[in-house]
Amino acid sequence: MDTWMRLMANDGSIVFGRVENGYLHEYEGLDQPVPTGAVLSLRALTPLAPCAPGKVVALWNNFHALALKLEKPVPEHPLFLIKPASSVIGSGDAIRRPAHYAGKIVFEGELGIVIGKRCRDASLEEAEASIFGYTIVNDVTAAGLLAENPHFPQWCRAKGFDTFCCLGPAIVSGFDWRSARVVTRLDGVERQNYPLDDMVFSPAQQVSLISQDLTLEPGDVIACGTSLGVGSIGEGATVEVTIEGIGALVNALGVPVRDRADAAQSANEREKPAVVW
Amino acid sequence: MDTWMRLMANDGSIVFGRVENGYLHEYEGLDQPVPTGAVLSLRALTPLAPCAPGKVVALWNNFHALALKLEKPVPEHPLFLIKPASSVIGSGDAIRRPAHYAGKIVFEGELGIVIGKRCRDASLEEAEASIFGYTIVNDVTAAGLLAENPHFPQWCRAKGFDTFCCLGPAIVSGFDWRSARVVTRLDGVERQNYPLDDMVFSPAQQVSLISQDLTLEPGDVIACGTSLGVGSIGEGATVEVTIEGIGALVNALGVPVRDRADAAQSANEREKPAVVW
């Protein structure tokens, strides 16, 4: 297992690399995992979303427990919408309420698949090989818009607002999702705690089937869908989504929650995610 | 009115610029409309989609005539889905049938708005100023997938396949959409002929309202929605979408329709679009 982060230096330049003992070993990029030789202290860097996806493919109804609760059959092909690149923020960044929307804003803690190689019509084996690693997603939704127009469910709009795709804090390659759980806490209170082995389509199946529809590019993310326990986020409330082995993705509605020191520390102490409020 | 194209040179490099009398006057880019000084013959260049959008925002139900036919009220905010960058092809490129889909593939001739400046929470005036120009869109849809799953309408999947967003052949800045019509011909037979002044949301209104949801970036495209007359494309059939003053966007299902000479010629003779079959 290796941990990868994307960070900003003081001069505004962006670096990507492998994190070890508080240092970033810089690499050319996701699609070119070649070390540049540079080693930088995390303390001098500001964490960003761990990749810059061209698109985020977000699944609906991909957990057996949720399908049962919704009384919907599990799908035969991944059901998805697209969240644009403009919706992506990193751990600690503020989720912003849309200017003209006063309704519920909902969290969904999810596993994120990060693509490492261009992928089209991939077999299961090719799909598995094209996965760079895994991250954590909070797939935020303006729930009141989904069914606002009875003639057209607004999945892309409700989930596509700027700041509505929280990603991070890191990508972990070689991560065994099968034994992991997604735990979501709202202001410290556990609201989701579900096993990833309850997924309808495994990560490799998702990549393979979605790549038959559209070409996946390095850095693209598939948000694997959520399970039971989603809920709304009050103004100023903090959502922490944790997957042991990856870390803790922390975002609050309306306010940033990190400072540079906290973030560097939390990256350093991933085994035991720091609670920052 | 200026006409802008994006083309590939023999060495694989991509150039963008203003087209005049068979020559391309190269510019830095959409967001930096500064001439480089280079002037290239179009005959040595292969036309591409005229911009490389990060995302394509595609509207549904944006024409009064179509709303009337569908017996739906016109919306109060643009209803949209997102087509990914991976779906974009240029004029002449082949529309490819998805490997595991045997159903209807439908054309929709549309006006496309090309964004020139980053745009967020834009007023109508700011929105108008952020429009670089207009292009033509064939918003292709695997119609049989839209309602395949009764619990989740698959707008993004049905319209997001590789090659399902035909853009081109050019962007025209200073174009007066108010007096223009969209004409779509299937194998030479007129199937759509509708006036753009029947739009529910004008281009500036679309840009302003959508920019309140998500940040629009230079090169992003808004497909303004279609009106009456959409229909399915048989194998090998050619769809030509024409907007007088912009040109003719020509794509066939399963086969490319242009060769380099035709395309350069048609760019040169935009006032009188060449029929290529």
Side-chain angles (χ1 to χ4, degrees):
Chain A
M1 294 214 307
D2 281 316
T3 298
W4 304 79
M5 290 184 78
R6 193 168 144 271
L7 307 101
M8 187 180 286
N10 283 337
D11 65 358
S13 63
I14 292 172
V15 291
F16 175 81
R18 191 168 50 78
V19 174
E20 201 179 326
N21 298 325
Y23 287 89
L24 181 90
H25 299 255
E26 194 190 20
Y27 277 64
E28 293 287 351
L30 262 171
D31 50 336
Q32 292 188 327
V34 176
T36 66
V39 180
L40 306 160
S41 168
L42 285 182
R43 295 204 173 267
L45 300 168
T46 304
L48 303 172
C51 56
K55 57 185 170 288
V56 176
V57 177
L59 267 67
W60 180 78
N61 195 14
N62 192 37
F63 282 83
H64 292 97
L66 184 62
L68 199 66
K69 186 192 167 198
L70 297 175
E71 298 181 346
K72 311 282 190 201
V74 299
E76 294 177 6
H77 183 95
L79 298 171
F80 65 82
L81 57 107
I82 291 170
K83 291 169 86 97
S86 42
S87 66
V88 172
I89 59 174
S91 187
D93 294 338
I95 300 166
R96 288 202 317 270
R97 174 176 287 280
H100 303 284
Y101 174 72
K104 273 189 187 172
I105 294 179
V106 168
F107 63 82
E108 300 182 4
E110 306 186 2
L111 177 71
I113 304 165
V114 181
I115 302 296
K117 288 182 211 159
R118 179 174 288 188
C119 186
R120 179 184 293 165
D121 290 329
S123 67
L124 269 182
E125 293 69 27
E126 290 165 341
E128 187 71 54
S130 75
I131 297 174
F132 179 84
Y134 295 90
T135 188
I136 305 171
V137 183
N138 183 355
D139 175 13
V140 181
T141 310
L145 291 177
L146 277 179
E148 188 197 43
N149 186 303
H151 309 290
F152 186 88
Q154 297 185 74
W155 287 98
C156 282
R157 186 176 172 219
K159 288 176 172 280
F161 288 98
D162 285 2
T163 76
F164 272 33
C165 186
C166 315
L167 294 185
I171 305 167
V172 176
S173 54
F175 176 72
D176 181 15
W177 59 270
R178 285 170 192 80
S179 56
R181 302 180 73 87
V182 175
V183 177
T184 307
R185 295 187 184 87
L186 180 69
D187 279 340
V189 179
E190 185 175 297
R191 301 291 295 270
Q192 298 194 284
N193 186 337
Y194 66 88
L196 286 167
D197 68 1
D198 183 46
M199 272 193 273
V200 176
F201 297 102
S202 72
Q205 286 174 322
Q206 293 176 52
V207 171
S208 171
L209 290 166
I210 292 167
S211 82
Q212 293 168 20
D213 298 342
L214 41 87
T215 299
L216 296 166
E217 299 284 353
D220 281 355
V221 170
I222 300 175
C224 296
T226 198
S227 189
L228 303 177
V230 303
S232 69
I233 317 170
E235 288 308 318
T238 300
V239 181
E240 184 205 48
V241 188
T242 305
I243 299 178
E244 202 178 348
I246 302 181
L249 170 69
V250 185
N251 300 88
L253 182 57
V255 287
V257 284
R258 95 184 147 202
D259 66 31
R260 195 170 297 188
D262 284 347
Q265 187 179 17
S266 122
N268 222 357
E269 299 178 353
R270 270 180 317 92
E271 309 317 296
K272 174 168 63 74
V275 178
V276 299
W277 60 89
Chain B
M1 295 216 307
D2 281 314
T3 298
W4 305 79
M5 290 183 79
R6 194 168 143 271
L7 307 101
M8 188 180 286
N10 283 337
D11 65 358
S13 63
I14 292 173
V15 291
F16 175 80
R18 191 169 51 78
V19 174
E20 201 179 325
N21 298 324
Y23 288 89
L24 181 91
H25 299 254
E26 194 190 19
Y27 277 64
E28 293 287 350
L30 262 170
D31 50 337
Q32 292 187 326
V34 176
T36 66
V39 179
L40 305 160
S41 169
L42 286 182
R43 294 201 174 268
L45 300 168
T46 304
L48 303 173
C51 55
K55 56 185 170 290
V56 176
V57 177
L59 267 67
W60 179 77
N61 194 15
N62 192 38
F63 283 84
H64 293 97
L66 184 63
L68 199 65
K69 186 191 167 199
L70 297 175
E71 298 182 345
K72 310 282 190 202
V74 299
E76 294 176 7
H77 184 95
L79 298 171
F80 64 83
L81 57 109
I82 291 171
K83 293 170 81 98
S86 42
S87 66
V88 172
I89 59 173
S91 187
D93 293 338
I95 301 165
R96 288 201 317 268
R97 173 177 287 279
H100 302 283
Y101 174 72
K104 275 189 185 172
I105 294 178
V106 168
F107 62 81
E108 300 183 4
E110 306 187 1
L111 178 71
I113 303 165
V114 181
I115 302 297
K117 287 181 213 161
R118 179 176 287 189
C119 187
R120 179 185 293 164
D121 290 329
S123 67
L124 269 182
E125 293 67 28
E126 290 165 340
E128 187 71 54
S130 74
I131 296 174
F132 179 84
Y134 295 91
T135 189
I136 305 171
V137 183
N138 183 355
D139 176 11
V140 181
T141 310
L145 291 178
L146 277 179
E148 188 197 43
N149 186 302
H151 309 289
F152 186 88
Q154 297 184 76
W155 287 98
C156 283
R157 186 176 173 220
K159 288 177 172 281
F161 287 99
D162 285 2
T163 78
F164 272 33
C165 186
C166 316
L167 293 184
I171 304 167
V172 176
S173 54
F175 176 72
D176 182 15
W177 58 270
R178 287 169 192 78
S179 56
R181 301 181 73 87
V182 175
V183 178
T184 308
R185 295 186 184 88
L186 181 68
D187 280 341
V189 179
E190 184 174 297
R191 301 290 296 269
Q192 298 192 283
N193 185 336
Y194 66 88
L196 286 168
D197 68 2
D198 183 45
M199 271 193 273
V200 175
F201 298 103
S202 71
Q205 287 174 322
Q206 292 175 53
V207 172
S208 171
L209 290 167
I210 292 167
S211 81
Q212 293 169 19
D213 299 342
L214 42 88
T215 299
L216 296 166
E217 300 284 353
D220 281 355
V221 170
I222 299 175
C224 295
T226 198
S227 189
L228 304 177
V230 303
S232 69
I233 317 169
E235 289 306 319
T238 300
V239 181
E240 183 203 49
V241 188
T242 305
I243 299 178
E244 202 177 348
I246 301 179
L249 170 68
V250 185
N251 300 87
L253 182 58
V255 287
V257 285
R258 92 184 150 202
D259 65 32
R260 195 170 296 189
D262 284 347
Q265 187 180 18
S266 120
N268 223 356
E269 297 178 354
R270 271 181 315 91
E271 309 317 294
K272 174 169 63 76
V275 178
V276 298
W277 58 90

